Amino acid sequence: NSNNNSDNNKNNNQNETSKATIYQVITITRKMNRHLLLPTTVLLLLWHTIQATTSISSTTTATATQATPPSNLHRRAVVREYYSSPRYKYTHTLGSGRLNGPSTASLRRGNAIVTSADGQYLFVTSDDGTLHIVHAHHPGVFDRVYDPTSDVLEDAGWFTFCQSGVSLFHTRDRMRSVVFAVYAVVDLPPRNSVHDEKSRIIAVDHKGNLLWSRQLSGVAVGTPQISQNGRYVYLTHNLSHEQVGRFTALDANNDGVIIFSEGNVNIRPYGPMTVSRVGTDKTAVVGAFAAGGDSDDDMDVLYFGETPDRGYDFFGAVHKVSVSRRGVITSGVLPQTRWSTATAPTVSEDGRRLWISGRDAWIRGVTADIRESVQMLWKTDLDHSLRNRTAPLYNRATLSPDEQYLYVASASTSFFCLDANTGNVIWKTDEDDDKSIYLTEAKVSYDNTKVYTIKHNDGTVTQHDAVTGDDEWTVDCTEFSDDRYCQDSVEAEFSISPDGSTLYYGDIFGKIVALTIGKTPEPTPLPSSMPTISTIPTSTPTDLPTLTAAPTDLPTVTP
């Protein structure tokens, strides 16, 4: 109601401004009439012409306001200049800032910081299961926390933790406001209990108020994904002590009721999933199947792999699930994909190409046609782990916005840029002396010129030149902390603001750090002489100006 009142006040002010402008024109015309002695009929005609012109202008403005913005509006970069070194913005601590004890909110492996599409809020998951909503520009002013431990469990002694990020569903208007957020927590039974692990999929609104919570058997894997239309929530979870995978779809509009659930006939656990949005104006090419779907009605296509022995095993498979706009769900295994993987696949925007990592630190590029034999495009071996040569890659590869390059950390301490079409190495960073691996996915700037990485051991943030791989700057906690020996380890996924100007990351102590990495242009103010009118005025004026007779004498004009 307050927003509506505010809009009404703005409209009234705009209407008053328009009336004032019209009266100014009438006043000037009346002054001219003293010399030209225009008849009253001409003044009335001028009045109606101004009103009609205002009506046409208002109609055009109203129509333009109602136009639907492009779906990728929030991805447009507005950074016009990158700084030679980042500018420290703030540090905001969640909870007590300690690893253990009361009010602990550590950002651990699987947790994430996600920026809303309008750039106003940060949605942050922590390992204790709490979801924090923090104002991106003024942290502490509007902080909301949802605590899932407030839900009473049947048996005492259960332990709740979170290894999930958070998915957001936004409005499709120009405001791009958050409608709801979804994440997962895991409830472990007391030791020696007869109960099995359980997971809860939790949906909250933009203020952190609970919308619904759905309990599932097993341990949730990765971050639940929201369908393109916001109606469904997808996730994978592993049952029987994380040995058997299961895919489940929930109805987000009906308290998270299960609408589909299917177990893995191969009796292997599942890994995290990736969603490809097909059937949209941007992704559809020639029918939805040409864009990765199985029919012309497909809306979402999901890919996930099998992770026996957490990706250390040789054998596995890649699964594909297609969801139509009518809610029809079909699933299957991509033929000839007999590999295990510890990470979610990287998928092209049209859904036709996949990049999958596996045991022994390799990565493959394949096609994604479920009805034909899968064609392996290439395979590249990256640097092996210093501890275990058979270790898989820890992170999903990041695809550049133009889909020509892959940025991925090895199982060792090096970082690679690969040609997405051939797998050839474009550039590589040297193995680090401090033996720090990367546990977070790289981020690419929206203009495709910068790549950002964060080291696990001490949280060192680096900006790389996307073309050459050169380090343009590095920064760690010693540059904005009193502790010159600080070791603020980073495990959770970090985020870049929608305008590309700010980088947000969090460490294991629950501290969120904001770094300004680029300069954005100042917004251009609207001209005061062209007010926006939200309502269309009538072509007939409600009242006419008072007309006075022309004076008999002319005014004295001084040079």
Side-chain angles (χ1 to χ4, degrees):
N1 292 335
S2 61
N3 291 336
N4 293 336
N5 294 335
S6 176
D7 293 339
N8 292 335
N9 292 334
K10 291 181 180 178
N11 294 335
N12 293 335
N13 293 335
Q14 292 169 352
N15 292 336
E16 292 298 329
T17 305
S18 301
K19 290 181 181 179
T21 304
I22 293 173
Y23 279 116
Q24 289 177 2
V25 175
I26 292 296
T27 305
I28 295 173
T29 307
R30 287 165 62 185
K31 291 182 180 179
M32 293 172 57
N33 194 27
R34 294 181 180 180
H35 300 278
L36 303 177
L37 300 177
L38 295 175
T40 305
T41 342
V42 176
L43 286 175
L44 291 175
L45 181 60
L46 178 61
W47 171 267
H48 283 280
T49 303
I50 293 174
Q51 284 282 32
T53 304
T54 305
S55 177
I56 295 173
S57 174
S58 302
T59 305
T60 304
T61 303
T63 304
T65 302
Q66 295 172 0
T68 304
S71 59
N72 64 335
L73 177 67
H74 65 288
R75 296 177 58 186
R76 293 182 179 178
V78 296
V79 171
R80 67 179 183 184
E81 177 187 354
Y82 289 96
Y83 296 131
S84 57
S85 60
R87 301 185 179 182
Y88 173 73
K89 193 172 182 179
Y90 63 75
T91 297
H92 179 67
T93 303
L94 308 176
S96 62
R98 300 178 180 177
L99 290 179
N100 299 298
S103 302
T104 299
S106 301
L107 274 64
R108 291 290 192 173
R109 177 77 164 157
N111 297 146
I113 298 176
V114 178
T115 312
S116 61
D118 59 8
Q120 295 300 309
Y121 297 99
L122 304 178
F123 287 74
V124 187
T125 56
S126 58
D127 68 341
D128 63 349
T130 54
L131 174 66
H132 302 256
I133 304 176
V134 180
H135 198 287
H137 307 293
H138 306 285
V141 175
F142 179 87
D143 282 10
R144 300 294 180 90
V145 179
Y146 176 75
D147 185 0
T149 59
S150 59
D151 298 341
V152 179
L153 299 175
E154 296 180 358
D155 300 332
W158 285 71
F159 174 74
T160 299
F161 72 96
C162 175
Q163 54 186 9
S164 161
V166 57
S167 294
L168 307 180
F169 183 72
H170 298 86
T171 59
R172 298 185 181 275
D173 56 16
R174 192 171 295 274
M175 298 301 294
R176 300 290 291 160
S177 303
V178 174
V179 179
F180 67 95
V182 174
Y183 76 112
V185 298
V186 178
D187 299 317
L188 296 180
R191 183 173 297 181
N192 300 325
S193 172
V194 295
H195 298 286
D196 293 328
E197 306 97 333
K198 299 178 182 179
S199 295
R200 280 177 287 157
I201 313 306
I202 300 170
V204 300
D205 64 13
H206 66 287
K207 294 183 178 180
N209 299 315
L210 180 66
L211 297 178
W212 52 262
S213 176
R214 178 61 53 183
Q215 188 177 79
L216 302 174
S217 300
V219 177
V221 182
T223 302
Q225 302 294 321
I226 302 174
S227 66
Q228 186 180 144
N229 61 4
R231 181 176 178 182
Y232 308 117
V233 173
Y234 314 118
L235 74 146
T236 53
H237 49 123
N238 294 323
L239 290 69
S240 303
H241 302 287
E242 302 186 62
Q243 296 302 311
V244 181
R246 195 168 193 86
F247 169 81
T248 299
L250 309 177
D251 188 341
N253 296 333
N254 189 21
D255 294 333
V257 172
I258 299 175
I259 61 173
F260 181 88
S261 188
E262 183 179 65
N264 187 5
V265 295
N266 294 334
I267 315 180
R268 298 191 188 105
Y270 284 151
M273 70 175 63
T274 300
V275 179
S276 175
R277 312 296 187 183
V278 300
T280 61
D281 293 338
K282 187 172 182 181
T283 59
V285 182
V286 183
F289 182 72
D294 296 327
S295 72
D296 291 336
D297 191 40
D298 280 344
M299 173 180 61
D300 298 313
V301 178
L302 305 96
Y303 298 96
F304 49 90
E306 295 177 351
T307 59
D309 198 18
R310 300 189 181 277
Y312 282 82
D313 201 321
F314 280 106
F315 303 105
V318 177
H319 293 250
K320 176 179 180 180
V321 177
S322 299
V323 184
S324 74
R325 300 182 185 279
R326 295 170 295 173
V328 178
I329 299 177
T330 57
S331 62
V333 176
L334 290 180
Q336 299 181 358
T337 56
R338 301 187 179 95
W339 324 296
S340 67
T341 177
T343 65
T346 301
V347 185
S348 62
E349 192 165 14
D350 62 10
R352 290 182 289 184
R353 292 185 297 166
L354 295 179
W355 293 271
I356 304 167
S357 64
R359 172 191 165 103
D360 296 329
W362 55 252
I363 183 169
R364 301 174 189 257
V366 303
T367 57
D369 191 338
I370 196 173
R371 297 187 298 192
E372 300 176 2
S373 297
V374 170
Q375 178 184 4
M376 187 174 74
L377 303 177
W378 52 263
K379 175 186 175 184
T380 300
D381 292 321
L382 306 183
D383 293 336
H384 297 279
S385 170
L386 300 177
R387 294 184 177 181
N388 188 340
R389 184 178 177 82
T390 63
L393 298 184
Y394 302 111
N395 301 304
R396 176 174 58 179
T398 301
L399 187 62
S400 63
D402 60 5
E403 299 192 344
Q404 297 301 308
Y405 302 100
L406 286 174
Y407 302 97
V408 58
S410 70
S412 181
T413 60
S414 53
F415 186 80
F416 285 78
C417 172
L418 306 178
D419 187 311
N421 300 304
T422 65
N424 294 332
V425 176
I426 304 300
W427 52 262
K428 167 193 171 183
T429 63
D430 295 331
E431 296 191 67
D432 203 349
D433 293 337
D434 62 6
K435 309 302 180 185
S436 177
I437 62 174
Y438 299 87
L439 290 183
T440 58
E441 296 176 15
K443 298 293 185 295
V444 185
S445 63
Y446 301 123
D447 61 3
N448 210 21
T449 62
K450 312 295 179 185
V451 179
Y452 298 92
T453 60
I454 301 182
K455 294 179 181 178
H456 163 56
N457 283 0
D458 57 2
T460 298
V461 185
T462 303
Q463 176 179 285
H464 306 268
D465 184 284
V467 177
T468 64
D470 294 337
D471 296 354
E472 296 184 333
W473 53 254
T474 60
V475 64
D476 58 30
C477 57
T478 60
E479 304 203 22
F480 40 81
S481 171
D482 294 334
D483 184 5
R484 56 182 299 186
Y485 301 106
C486 62
Q487 289 282 329
D488 295 349
S489 178
V490 174
E491 301 179 3
E493 298 298 336
F494 62 100
S495 177
I496 295 179
S497 62
D499 63 5
S501 66
T502 309
L503 185 148
Y504 305 95
Y505 73 93
D507 61 30
I508 60 174
F509 298 100
K511 292 184 294 185
I512 298 176
V513 179
L515 301 175
T516 303
I517 56 180
K519 185 177 182 181
T520 57
E522 296 295 332
T524 304
L526 294 175
S528 57
S529 58
M530 295 291 292
T532 302
I533 302 176
S534 58
T535 58
I536 304 175
T538 58
S539 58
T540 305
T542 55
D543 54 350
L544 296 177
T546 305
L547 303 177
T548 58
T552 57
D553 53 343
L554 296 177
T556 302
V557 180
T558 59

